Amino acid sequence: MRHVLILLVRFYQKAISPLFPASCRFYPTCSSYMITALEKHGLILGLLMGSARILRCNPFNRGGVDPVPDKFTLLRNPHPEEDEDEIIVRKFHSH
């Protein structure tokens, strides 16, 4: 089932998301976050984490760098210092 959800999110990334302007306030995007959360934490916990992230992606949240943590949580990672943002972004671009 986890693989089916990942395929659905990838379909969204390729077929649906390009039809709309970029609007995710986070890096990595919410869809990428969902895939990584499902891969790292399994179906139920990954789905909960990804859903919580989508709920945080709104105009009342400043967004920023928010990678999937190694331990399960529904809360956002503490925002890294501004100079650390570049290091984290480079880490994600290297994959």
Side-chain angles (χ1 to χ4, degrees):
M1 186 65 170
R2 174 177 54 140
H3 299 292
V4 172
L5 281 176
I6 290 171
L7 287 174
L8 287 172
V9 174
R10 289 204 171 128
F11 172 78
Y12 163 80
Q13 289 176 323
K14 302 269 190 242
I16 297 171
S17 183
L19 301 174
F20 299 97
S23 61
C24 189
R25 306 176 73 76
F26 290 102
Y27 184 86
T29 64
C30 292
S31 58
S32 294
Y33 185 99
M34 177 70 83
I35 290 171
T36 304
L38 288 166
E39 290 172 344
K40 269 187 170 182
H41 299 287
L43 176 64
I44 303 216
L45 296 180
L47 188 58
L48 286 170
M49 289 178 76
S51 298
R53 169 67 173 294
I54 291 168
L55 291 174
R56 288 194 304 268
C57 192
N58 63 66
F60 302 107
N61 192 318
R62 70 180 176 147
V65 175
D66 182 32
V68 177
D70 291 330
K71 293 186 179 187
F72 172 78
T73 181
L74 295 177
L75 303 175
R76 178 185 175 167
N77 286 325
H79 193 274
E81 298 299 322
E82 292 302 319
D83 57 319
E84 291 179 2
D85 276 356
E86 276 302 310
I87 296 167
I88 293 169
V89 168
R90 273 189 254 126
K91 177 183 173 191
F92 280 100
H93 280 298
S94 68
H95 291 158

